[in-house]
Amino acid sequence: MTPKLFQITGRLAQAIPSVLVVIILSFILTRMLPGDPAVYFAGDMADKESIEQMRRSLGLDRSWLEQFYIYIINLIEGDWGISLTTGQPVTDELLARLPASLELTIFGLILSIAAAVPLGIAAANHKDSWIDHFCRILVTAGVSLPIFFTGLFLVYIFYFLLGWAPSPIGRIDILVLSPPPVTGFYTIDSLLANESETFFASLAQLILPAATLGLFALAPIARMTRSAMLGALKSDYVRTARASGLSRKKILLTYALQNSALPIFTTLGMVFSFLLGANVLVEKVFSWPGVGLYAIEALIASDYAAVQGFVLTMALLFVFVNLTIDIILTLIDPRVGFDD
Amino acid sequence: MTKVAFTNRRLNHLIYVIRENPVTLLAFSLFTLIILLALVGPSIAPHDPIKTNATNALEPPSLSYLFGTDHLGRDVFSRVIVATRLDLGIAFSAVAISFCVGCALGGAAGFWGGWTNRVIGRISDAIMAFPLFVLAMGIVAALGNAIENIIYATAIINLPFYIRVSRAETSIRRNIGYVDAARLSGSGNLRILFTQILPNILPPLMVQVSLNMGWAILNAAGLSFIGLGVRPPNAEWGIMVAEGSNYIISGEWWLVIFPGAALMLAVFCFNLLGDGLRDIVDPLRRT
């Protein structure tokens, strides 16, 4: 086995305890419910008999270990409970809404990378110039801005004052039909179906919420890019490259940036964790019909199975993203495979 | 004699840092103002923050209503001022809990090492395995929708940061000269932890507190923005922004902008203060 493949397998194995921890914690959270869960899940109208039946179907009459075993089996079989408010299985509801959230998060992340990485590079390249100060102000402001406030501020400016953005409600204008579902991403689906009008309508709805998320993610990415680039520019290999008379662009983009890629990618994992939380707030501001909005409605209605499903989905998604980032890091890191 | 000289040197260093970085001074003044508002806010607010008055609802800012009035005719200015106490109260309590519990766990992990360290490390990893805001939502859902549960949820998701800092700082000090000296003179483990190690790891922890405070405020406001914890008609910045959000598309901007700006200023102030404190405590890590 090549060292890279070996490392990737090792990293895949490391994800197993993370998944276990997530499941154990969410199991504990369900058992923390105030009062008797059987009474709770049976609903307000339940009589004694149906509560007893619910207790048996939830397995609450058994030992903790057995309960945990049943819990895991149910999770694996896709039985995440029934939503109290809609009466639908939680897994179906979450799967139907997940593409909307992913489209928003991914688009926001792309926007912020597109802005933050060049900004960080410029700030490091011209240290202590106006662009460096600008970067510093943006980074400090970025971590202080409540994301729901940024979103509403953008709505006020671009919808109310300038009238550039469409009304900030939902994924697509109510007058436009949603594209035939393939991936669940409206922008991609409309392109696949060759409907340019639908594409622009969904893109127009997407830009403001994605920009809100992007502004939020900008700060940590720009800060990490700047400090990683500063470190790389001070290194011996950059000095050697300069002394050998390589062009400025080549030094900056090939030598320094490629060596800064590792810390930048590592930051992306952390940023993604923040984005999954921030997504909930942005979905609320823009009435975006994703899993976050679903979870908020479930929280207000004390629909516990739905909230638990949401927390689990987000946590598993987070584990998966971290895993993917680590595998990419292993693949792009030239040092892996040379040591042994 | 030496003690006076030492205090003087500290003071000179403080003056030097503030002179070098006037932003820290600004942050400190802002901090004083925020604390003052939290203490005396309700008595200096010009209007009753929860008294409704349907005849002058949604008035734009004017001399009698500096920040305008909301959809129920309540004075936004008074509400923003009064809310300071609740917002800071939630954040302070949450950070205080994380600080105490995190210090105890991290200190124990760093001091004893071994399986204590492993178990506490796992707890910290378990919390970090979740997207933190999402975990806070789950905790509030499990404990019930109330203000104290917002505090507990915020405290739990902040725990790993305190555990990490105090564990690292304790473990590098557990075999240092003054700890050995205290042990030789017959102090027990707990006594060493409290009298020798705690005072020495306090400065880096205070930096963490200040940086964390802004985040705790944002987090609590985010939870109340989605309708958890604080109930209307109570004044709180997050819920004020949430209530105003329905009016932003029709152009009543003052409902959202003023509480949002207050929130932003408070967080900004704690973040700047944290950076400033770090400069004073740890000059090597200055950026």
Side-chain angles (χ1 to χ4, degrees), chain A residues 274-308:
Chain A
F274 290 149
L275 277 183
L276 288 178
N279 216 10
V280 178
L281 297 169
V282 173
E283 283 181 15
K284 163 102 168 137
V285 169
F286 291 92
S287 308
W288 192 262
V291 283
L293 199 61
Y294 174 67
I296 293 175
E297 282 159 9
L299 264 175
I300 302 300
S302 300
D303 182 354
Y304 195 74
V307 177
Q308 191 215 201

Side-chain angles (χ1 to χ4, degrees), chain A residues 112-129 131-136 138-139 217-233 252-253 256-257 260 264:
Chain A
S112 70
I113 292 174
V117 171
L119 183 68
I121 294 175
N125 195 26
H126 307 279
K127 193 168 181 287
D128 293 324
S129 71
I131 191 142
D132 191 19
H133 291 303
F134 174 72
C135 179
R136 189 172 298 163
L138 210 65
V139 162
L218 193 105
I221 303 177
R223 177 159 54 187
M224 189 41 89
T225 309
R226 176 180 176 274
S227 70
M229 284 295 282
L230 274 180
L233 286 174
L252 208 59
L253 295 184
L257 186 61
S260 314
I264 297 174

